[in-house]
């Protein structure tokens, strides 16, 4: 079972005078601990030897308040080198390291207790201290360690695993559960418990003598539970809870006495000593009255401070099982040199009576098994089990709180609160005049239970105040209570903080409405307490942060407080640059929740105040705060779109380079139902892919049509060839001379034909057709924007869907033609265009903007007829065009060869081969 392990200091790399590493062997409120030399070299080392070979389960370090190392490493070893050279690291196995806080948040006024769970076997432990944290108090760059605690169990206890498994097997058949709450605090099935009495915090804040008594009472409590004496166990449990408060108070008195001695104020030291004696005797009398301890147990030892393990000149001569000698046992040195192997009763294992020179007696037959009580070790090394994860400690703490509610608060047991100092009297003079010095002294006490009791007593007094009390008395009492509440809200002890919130809530929701004190007193309560409560929302304890935030939200929704509109004004104050992360996040979260509950209409929040706060929060150094500000702006935009946009920069590419503003504007787009930039890019990419796919499909279709035309041409040529042969044969048979009719060469049947206008010419070779399409065909025209040759009938669709400048055109809903987007508003507004008719009723010419009869042939008549389209420029040119001869003959050859006009993608489609409205496009090469 893990318990505290005794140790001695084998060596250290150095120390300051008066702060030797051997100070670490003593755990008491007055110890100073170890300090490194001034301006030392790093790292510094300390080697500890445990009283026996152990399996270490837990290590605890209590750091100094300002001489703090940045990192502490742990090494373990089975033995030291032969010639005692502790700096040879190869003998040690590294366990790991812990980092310590720089303590800036507390102003170097608190000490950090670091606990580390390990599982390592050995007898020598080495601590390596690295470079110190720099602060204004540590002027000599030192590192220090106030205390170190080792918790484990003997490594040579070979039957432990068998015993544990055997106990678990028995519990299984008996139906016992190891996690049964009824067994909490006992040894049953809890082989890996670590008692809270073995924790370093217990020894460092307890009077050593009272700590010794607490451990004995705890042993008796476990004995009583095993013997099923539950009433007696309950009394012991209550006594332990009371004694822990007593021990803390006596430990504080001891520290004050030590400080007085150092200042050579011996009168104050004598007063503290007498105060300790009176308080101790009163507590002991109370314990004897309840028959919890005998008179011998209450007798004072000769010397209170516990002495460390006696260390000879060489550590190798140290017996491995030897424990810390205690002067209160008054046993001879040769007796202490024997190994502590005998098992002794828990009630007599440590004798604190200076009058008893004899040694302990053998245990009676009714004592528990030796396994449970290895009292051969000193009190600070005994295994007092608790859950390894310290669940038992949490339960015992809750039980302790219950006990304190009844027994621990009695003045005859725990003592009265100390009197007020002169400074406190001056500060709380108005509260003392109204509430009395006793109650205010309790609120100012250094003992947290007295502070809690004072607040609860005040709560009861205010609750019981009769209705007919004069208004002036009620107001003075209220203001005095608010003064104490304001002070208690800053308290770091959770019960005191909870009591202050309980009292404040009662004042606002019950006391003021009950006595009808009005809005002025409510405003006084809120204005005096809410700023302090807001600072507690940045506390390092998550529990306190949540409690403070929930209380502020609850009070803000109370109708009397809501009408004041005070809390919203505090929440929208700009965040300070040096504010803690917890404080900023709590303020953001609280503001967001209250904004949803109260809104921006007549509740203290306005769009202006919230937006100013949120925009400023976008520049905070903490990422979570900036993200919370973005969420708040989006929530506000959903309700007030136009007002929110006034506080933000314009939505352009420069602004969107900032990730936060990009997120905000994209959130606006989602709220408005508009596509975001990413969605628009995806849509454009999908549209481009679709257009490319459609273009490829059209090319494949046109290529298929071309192949079909070539097949048709081959069939026609074959038929004409057969007809010619048949005609020749008939002529020979009849011997008739053939008529002198012109013949059409086989290879010029379709190549000499324009598939759009139907014109046939011998010059329509491959290059001749390209030239014809590009300049002369009356059914085609060139796009002025992309320089492509398209059919006039499909010019409008080309400008809207296929042209390179298609984004600059829009369709007029009256004439159905493509109009530049810049001119479209004016075009639509003037209504000068000729309205278009349905495609079934009429065609629409994009050149002259006239409607004419439907059909493909009507297009030819309109564009090529003598009374056709007057805006077709090619129609006027064709009347004066010089006939084009075949290439290589006459001046036309020069023209065709020098013009350089060629038409790409020439596709000889038969007349009517494409569907109506399709676009035939030819690109100039």
């Amino acid at each position: 079972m893990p318990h505290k392990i005794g140790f001695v200091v084998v060596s250290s790399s150095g120390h300051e005078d008066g702060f030797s590493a051997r100070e670490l062997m003593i755990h008491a409120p007055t110890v100073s601990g170890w300090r490194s030399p001034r301006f030392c070299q790093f790292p510094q080392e300390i080697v500890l030897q445990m009283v026996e070979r152990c399996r270490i389960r837990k290590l605890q370090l209590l750091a100094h308040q300002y001489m703090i190392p940045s990192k502490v490493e742990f090494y373990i070893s089975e033995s030291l080198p032969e010639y005692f050279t502790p700096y040879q690291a190869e003998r040690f196995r590294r366990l790991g390291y812990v980092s310590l806080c720089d303590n800036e948040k507390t102003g170097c006024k608190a000490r950090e207790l670091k606990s580390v769970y390990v599982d390592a076997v050995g007898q020598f432990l080495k601590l390596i201290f690295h470079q110190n944290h720099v602060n204004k108090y540590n002027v000599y760059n030192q590192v220090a360690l106030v205390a170190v605690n080792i918790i484990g169990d003997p490594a040579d206890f070979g039957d432990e695993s068998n015993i544990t498994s055997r106990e678990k097997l028995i519990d299984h058949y008996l139906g016992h559960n190891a996690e049964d709450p009824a067994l909490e605090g006992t040894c049953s099935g809890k082989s890996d418990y670590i008692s809270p009495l073995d924790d370093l915090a217990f020894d460092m804040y307890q009077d050593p003598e009272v700590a010794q008594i607490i451990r004995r009472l705890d042993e008796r409590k476990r004995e009583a539970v095993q013997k099923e004496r539950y009433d007696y166990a309950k009394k012991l449990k209550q006594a332990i809870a009371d004694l822990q408060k007593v021990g803390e108070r006596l430990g504080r008195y001891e520290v004050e006495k030590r400080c007085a001695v150092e200042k050579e104020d011996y009168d104050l030291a004598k007063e503290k000593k007498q105060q300790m004696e009176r308080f101790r005797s009163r507590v002991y009398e109370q314990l004897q009255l309840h028959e919890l301890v005998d008179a011998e147990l209450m007798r004072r030892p000769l010397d209170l401070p516990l002495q460390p393990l006696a260390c000879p000149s060489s550590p190798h001569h140290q017996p491995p099982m030897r424990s810390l000698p205690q002067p209160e046992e008054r046993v001879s040195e040769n007796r202490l040199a024997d190994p502590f192997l005998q098992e002794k009763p828990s009630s007599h294992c440590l004798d604190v009576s200076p009058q008893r020179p004899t040694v302990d007696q053998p245990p009676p037959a009714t004592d528990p098994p030796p396994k449970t009580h290895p009292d051969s070790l000193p009190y600070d090394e005994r295994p007092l089990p608790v859950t390894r994860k310290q669940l038992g400690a949490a339960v015992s703490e809750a039980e302790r709180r219950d006990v304190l509610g009844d027994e621990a608060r009695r003045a005859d047991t725990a003592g009265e609160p100390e009197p007020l100092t002169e400074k406190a009297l001056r500060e709380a003079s108005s509260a003392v005049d109204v509430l009395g010095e006793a109650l205010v002294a309790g609120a100012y006490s250094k003992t947290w239970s007295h502070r809690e009791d004072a607040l609860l007593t005040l709560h009861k007094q205010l609750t019981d105040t009769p209705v007919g009390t004069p208004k002036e008395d009620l107001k003075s009492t209220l203001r005095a209570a608010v003064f104490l509440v304001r002070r208690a809200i800053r308290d770091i002890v959770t019960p005191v903080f909870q009591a202050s919130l309980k009292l404040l809530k009662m004042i606002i929701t019950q006391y003021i409405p009950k006595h009808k004190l009005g809005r002025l007193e409510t405003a006084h309560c809120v204005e005096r307490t809410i700023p302090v409560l807001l600072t507690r929302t940045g506390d390092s304890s998550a529990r306190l942060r949540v409690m403070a935030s929930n209380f502020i939200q609850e009070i803000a929704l109370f109708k009397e407080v809501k009408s004041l509109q005070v809390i919203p004004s505090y929440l929208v104050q700009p965040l300070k640059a040096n504010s803690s992360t917890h404080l900023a996040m709590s303020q953001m979260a609280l503001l967001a929740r209250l904004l949803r509950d109260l809104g921006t209409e007549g509740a203290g929040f306005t769009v202006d105040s919230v937006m100013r706060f949120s925009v400023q929060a976008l520049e905070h150094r903490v990422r979570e705060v900036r993200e919370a500000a973005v969420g708040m702006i989006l929530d506000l935009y959903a309700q007030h779109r136009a007002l929110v946009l006034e506080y933000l920069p314009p939505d352009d590419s420069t602004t969107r380079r900032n990730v936060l503003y990009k997120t905000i504007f994209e959130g606006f787009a989602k709220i408005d139902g508009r596509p975001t930039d990413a969605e628009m890019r995806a849509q454009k990419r999908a549209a481009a892919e679709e257009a490319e796919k459609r273009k490829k499909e059209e090319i494949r279709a046109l290529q298929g049509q071309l192949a079909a035309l070539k097949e048709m041409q081959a069939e026609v040529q074959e038929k004409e060839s057969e007809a010619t042969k048949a005609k020749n044969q008939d002529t020979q048979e009849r011997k008739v001379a053939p008529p002198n009719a012109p013949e059409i060469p086989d290879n010029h049947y379709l190549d000499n034909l324009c598939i759009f206008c139907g014109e046939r010419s011998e010059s329509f070779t491959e290059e001749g057709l390209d030239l014809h399409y590009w300049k002369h065909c009356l059914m085609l025209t060139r796009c002025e924007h992309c320089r492509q040759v398209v059919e006039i009938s499909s010019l409008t669709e080309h400008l809207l869907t296929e042209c390179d400048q298609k984004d600059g055109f829009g369709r007029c809903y009256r004439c159905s033609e493509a109009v530049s987007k810049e001119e479209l508003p004016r075009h639509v507004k003037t209504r000068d265009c000729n309205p278009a008719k349905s495609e079934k009723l009429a065609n629409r010419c994009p050149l002259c903007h006239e409607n004419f009869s439907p059909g493909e042939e009507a297009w030819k008549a309109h564009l090529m007829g003598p009374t056709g389209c007057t805006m077709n420029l090619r129609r006027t040119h064709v009347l004066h065009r010089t006939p084009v001869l075949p290439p290589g003959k006459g001046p036309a050859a020069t023209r065709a060869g020098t013009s350089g006009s060629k038409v790409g993608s020439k596709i000889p489609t038969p007349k009517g081969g494409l569907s109506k409205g399709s676009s035939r496009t030819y690109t100039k090469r």
Side-chain angles (χ1 to χ4, degrees):
M1 181 182 300
H3 58 277
K4 179 178 286 192
I5 304 296
F7 61 86
V8 294
V9 177
V10 175
S11 67
S12 66
S13 55
H15 63 85
E16 186 181 0
D17 293 342
F19 298 95
S20 171
R22 297 185 181 276
E23 291 283 331
L24 298 175
M25 297 189 294
I26 303 174
H27 294 169
T30 56
V31 297
S32 301
W34 166 81
R35 290 185 187 179
S36 68
R38 297 181 177 182
F39 301 113
C40 62
Q41 294 182 353
F42 291 98
Q44 293 284 303
E45 296 183 359
I46 296 178
V47 179
L48 309 178
Q49 179 183 1
M50 291 167 279
V51 295
E52 57 183 331
R53 183 173 179 269
C54 299
R55 177 179 294 276
I56 302 176
R57 301 302 179 93
K58 184 178 180 180
L59 295 173
Q60 290 184 300
L61 302 178
L62 183 60
H64 196 267
Q65 58 266 29
Y66 59 86
M67 299 182 185
I68 309 170
S70 58
K71 184 172 68 173
V72 180
E73 291 186 271
F74 301 96
Y75 292 81
I76 195 167
S77 175
E78 297 283 349
S79 62
L80 285 178
E82 183 177 358
Y83 295 101
F84 189 61
T85 55
Y87 300 105
Q88 295 183 2
E90 63 271 13
R91 291 278 184 169
F92 288 86
R93 179 170 59 89
R94 186 175 186 271
L95 299 180
Y97 73 92
V98 293
S99 299
L100 298 177
C101 178
D102 56 10
N103 218 5
E104 289 183 358
K105 292 184 178 180
T106 64
C108 296
K109 295 181 180 179
R111 294 173 176 175
E112 181 179 8
L113 177 61
K114 182 75 74 172
S115 299
V116 184
Y117 289 91
V118 297
D119 189 2
V121 178
Q123 191 172 0
F124 294 88
L125 181 68
K126 179 163 68 172
L127 309 179
I128 297 181
F129 301 85
H130 289 264
Q131 182 70 42
N132 63 290
H133 286 295
V134 179
N135 55 67
K136 62 181 180 180
Y137 303 103
N138 192 1
V139 295
Y140 302 113
N141 291 333
Q142 296 172 272
V143 293
L145 185 65
V146 179
V148 59
N149 190 29
I150 304 174
I151 298 178
D153 38 20
D156 299 328
F157 193 43
D159 296 333
E160 179 182 1
S161 60
N162 295 333
I163 293 174
T164 302
S165 59
R166 185 164 61 248
E167 290 177 351
K168 290 182 179 179
L169 184 62
I170 294 174
D171 289 342
H172 174 72
Y173 282 103
L174 292 178
H176 292 168
N177 184 5
E179 303 296 333
D180 190 352
L183 302 178
E184 193 70 54
T186 68
C187 298
S188 303
K190 305 283 185 174
S191 61
D192 57 347
Y193 270 8
I194 299 177
S195 172
L197 303 184
D198 286 336
D199 195 271
L200 183 59
F202 178 78
D203 283 323
M204 296 305 295
Y205 296 99
Q206 285 287 333
D207 176 74
E209 182 180 347
V210 176
Q212 182 179 352
I213 297 174
I214 289 174
R215 287 188 170 91
R216 291 201 181 186
L217 293 181
D218 186 74
E219 292 175 359
R220 293 188 180 184
K221 183 188 72 173
R222 290 188 283 110
E223 291 175 5
V225 170
Q226 291 177 356
K227 296 177 182 179
E228 298 185 353
R229 298 175 58 191
Y230 299 121
D231 291 335
Y232 184 54
K234 181 180 179 181
K235 294 176 80 175
L236 289 173
K237 173 187 169 184
Q238 294 176 350
I240 290 172
D242 292 343
L243 280 175
Q244 286 185 347
K245 296 176 56 179
V246 171
E248 291 178 2
R249 187 169 183 178
L250 288 174
R252 188 173 65 253
Y253 286 159
E254 182 67 29
V255 173
E256 294 173 354
K257 184 183 74 174
R258 181 72 60 88
C259 293
V261 172
E262 291 178 356
K263 296 178 181 179
E264 298 185 356
D265 188 353
Y266 301 116
D267 293 335
L268 179 60
K270 180 180 178 181
E271 179 184 350
K272 290 296 178 183
K273 179 182 177 181
Q274 294 174 352
Q275 189 177 6
M276 290 173 62
E277 293 292 344
R278 290 194 301 268
F279 185 56
R280 194 188 303 272
S281 61
R282 186 168 55 191
V283 171
Y284 288 173
E285 289 173 2
Q286 189 69 26
L287 290 175
Q288 290 178 357
L289 180 63
H290 288 79
E291 298 180 354
L292 297 177
V293 290
D294 52 13
E296 292 182 352
L297 185 62
M298 295 297 103
R299 293 174 184 173
R300 293 289 308 280
L302 291 178
D303 192 9
L304 282 181
L306 300 178
Q307 297 298 323
L309 179 64
C311 180
S313 59
S314 174
H316 298 287
H317 298 289
Q318 180 70 28
M321 295 297 294
R322 186 173 182 177
S323 176
L324 303 178
Q326 303 184 28
E328 57 266 30
E329 293 184 0
R330 300 191 58 146
V331 186
S332 61
E333 187 65 29
N334 58 351
R335 177 76 180 184
L336 286 175
D338 296 333
F340 290 91
L341 298 178
Q342 300 87 359
E343 300 295 339
K344 302 173 186 177
S346 61
S347 60
H348 300 284
C349 59
L350 289 176
D351 186 13
V352 298
S353 172
Q355 289 82 7
R356 292 187 61 187
T358 59
V359 297
D360 300 331
Q361 299 298 322
T366 58
D367 279 350
K371 169 180 172 293
T372 307
H373 304 286
D375 49 355
S376 57
L377 298 176
Y379 72 88
D380 59 345
E381 297 177 20
R382 295 183 181 177
L384 298 178
V386 72
T387 311
R388 184 171 187 174
K389 296 181 179 179
Q390 298 192 358
L391 297 176
V395 175
S396 63
E397 179 68 19
E399 295 174 351
R400 188 181 307 146
R401 296 269 176 82
D402 297 338
V403 174
L404 291 177
D406 298 327
E407 299 292 335
R409 295 187 181 117
R410 294 176 301 177
D412 56 352
T413 301
E416 298 294 335
E418 59 273 16
L420 292 171
T421 63
E422 293 183 5
K423 179 181 178 181
L425 277 173
R426 289 194 302 269
E427 180 182 334
S429 59
S430 59
V432 171
D433 295 340
V434 176
L435 302 176
E437 186 174 352
L439 193 147
V440 177
Y444 271 77
S445 175
K446 296 180 180 179
T447 304
W448 67 266
S449 58
H450 289 321
R451 300 196 297 271
E452 182 186 14
D453 290 340
L455 295 175
L456 296 179
T457 302
L458 182 57
H459 182 281
K460 187 174 186 304
Q461 289 182 4
L462 296 182
T463 305
D464 297 340
T465 303
V467 178
T469 307
K471 293 287 185 180
E472 293 300 325
D473 295 343
L474 292 173
K475 291 181 180 181
S476 59
T477 303
L478 171 67
R479 293 178 180 266
V482 170
F483 173 80
L484 295 183
V485 168
R486 178 183 169 88
R487 174 183 173 85
I489 288 175
R490 298 189 179 97
D491 205 301
I492 62 174
V493 181
T494 302
V496 180
F497 180 71
Q498 289 177 324
S500 67
L501 297 185
K502 180 180 178 182
L503 178 57
L504 179 59
K505 182 179 179 181
M506 187 274 297
I507 292 174
I508 296 176
T509 61
Q510 298 178 19
Y511 184 79
I512 295 177
K514 175 183 176 181
H515 300 286
K516 300 178 181 179
L517 296 181
R519 294 184 54 180
L520 185 61
E521 301 304 321
T522 304
H524 174 77
C525 292
V526 175
E527 291 174 354
R528 295 291 295 169
T529 56
I530 290 301
V532 186
L533 265 176
L534 283 174
T535 60
R536 295 310 303 270
T537 60
D539 197 273
S540 58
S541 171
R543 181 183 179 189
L544 292 181
R545 292 199 303 271
V546 173
M547 289 170 56
S549 298
N550 292 341
F551 182 84
I552 293 175
Q553 183 180 8
E554 181 182 1
I555 292 299
L557 298 178
F558 189 63
K559 60 180 181 179
E560 279 78 5
V561 178
K562 181 179 178 181
S563 61
L564 296 174
Q565 302 182 5
V566 174
I567 295 180
S569 64
Y570 285 111
L571 291 179
V572 295
Q573 291 181 359
L575 297 172
K576 296 181 180 179
N578 58 349
S579 61
S580 67
T581 303
H582 293 317
L583 180 60
M585 285 301 301
S586 298
Q587 185 173 345
M588 294 293 295
L590 187 57
L591 175 59
R593 296 203 302 265
L594 284 180
L595 195 59
R596 286 193 292 267
D597 294 338
L598 300 177
T600 57
E601 300 296 334
F605 290 118
T606 62
V607 178
D608 177 75
S609 60
V610 176
M611 280 303 300
R612 290 181 183 276
F613 172 83
S614 302
V615 172
Q616 187 266 348
L618 291 175
E619 301 176 0
H620 198 271
R621 56 185 176 84
V622 180
R623 176 178 57 85
E624 290 81 0
V625 176
R626 298 193 297 269
E627 293 177 352
V630 171
M632 193 178 302
I633 292 174
L634 294 179
D635 292 341
L636 204 59
Y637 179 81
Q639 304 174 7
H640 310 278
R641 286 174 167 78
L643 294 177
V644 170
L645 291 177
E646 294 179 359
Y647 296 90
L648 298 175
D651 184 8
D652 52 25
S653 58
T654 304
T655 305
R656 284 181 176 262
R657 291 176 185 173
N658 188 316
V659 179
L660 291 176
Y661 284 112
K662 180 180 179 181
T663 305
I664 291 173
F665 287 122
E666 289 185 353
F668 289 171
K670 290 182 179 179
I671 294 174
D672 295 338
R674 296 180 286 108
T676 62
D677 283 352
E679 293 174 346
M680 292 178 65
R681 286 195 297 270
Q683 291 176 1
K684 290 181 179 179
R685 188 163 52 251
E689 292 175 356
E690 183 66 23
E692 185 68 20
K693 181 179 178 182
R694 203 164 48 242
K695 182 177 179 180
K696 291 180 180 180
E697 291 178 353
E698 291 178 358
I699 292 174
R700 283 196 297 269
L702 293 175
Q703 289 175 347
Q705 293 176 5
L706 179 59
L709 287 175
K710 289 182 178 180
E711 291 179 1
M712 292 172 58
Q713 182 179 4
E715 292 177 359
V716 171
Q717 290 177 353
E718 185 179 354
K719 290 180 179 179
E720 290 182 352
S721 177
E722 291 178 356
T724 303
K725 290 180 180 179
K727 188 175 181 181
N728 292 337
Q729 289 177 0
D730 292 342
T731 304
Q732 290 177 359
E733 290 176 357
R734 297 177 183 178
K735 297 180 180 181
V736 176
N740 192 11
E743 294 184 3
I744 301 175
D746 296 340
N747 57 345
H748 292 287
Y749 178 71
L750 287 180
D751 287 343
N752 297 337
L753 178 66
C754 175
I755 61 176
F756 297 107
C757 64
E759 181 181 353
R760 184 184 297 274
S761 173
E762 293 181 359
S763 63
F764 287 177
T765 60
E766 183 177 354
E767 294 183 358
L769 276 176
D770 286 347
L771 183 61
H772 174 73
Y773 295 153
W774 185 252
K775 290 189 176 183
H776 307 301
C777 184
L778 302 180
M779 300 294 291
L780 305 177
T781 185
R782 274 184 290 179
C783 176
E784 297 178 355
H785 304 282
C786 63
R787 307 304 296 172
Q788 290 182 353
V789 177
V790 297
E791 281 190 274
I792 296 174
S793 60
S794 60
L795 178 59
T796 298
E797 295 299 326
H798 168 78
L799 292 175
L800 293 174
T801 60
E802 297 177 354
C803 183
D804 295 341
Q805 305 295 328
K806 61 183 178 180
D807 293 336
F809 288 92
R811 187 189 296 273
C812 174
Y813 70 93
R814 283 172 52 83
C815 60
S816 300
E817 293 187 24
V819 183
S820 173
K821 287 185 177 180
E822 297 178 356
E823 299 293 332
L824 186 58
R826 185 188 60 80
H827 176 85
V828 173
K829 185 176 180 180
T830 56
R831 303 174 65 89
D832 292 337
C833 56
N834 183 20
K837 296 181 180 180
S838 174
E839 292 183 1
K840 296 181 179 181
L841 300 178
N843 290 328
R844 177 79 176 188
C845 178
L847 302 180
C848 63
H849 314 297
E850 295 293 337
N851 299 321
F852 56 92
S853 57
E856 289 287 342
E857 295 299 329
W859 275 106
K860 284 188 176 183
H862 177 72
L863 295 174
M864 300 174 62
T867 60
C869 181
T870 58
M871 301 302 295
N872 189 354
L873 299 180
R874 293 189 179 188
R875 179 172 171 274
T876 59
H877 292 168
V878 77
L879 299 178
H880 307 286
R881 185 180 61 180
T882 304
V884 181
L885 299 177
K889 297 181 181 180
T894 304
R895 176 186 176 189
T898 60
S899 64
S901 300
K902 294 185 179 181
V903 179
S905 304
K906 180 182 74 66
I907 303 175
T909 306
K911 185 176 9 179
L914 294 178
S915 61
K916 181 177 182 297
S918 62
S919 175
R920 304 183 184 96
T921 304
Y922 298 89
T923 306
K924 181 179 180 181
R925 289 192 297 223

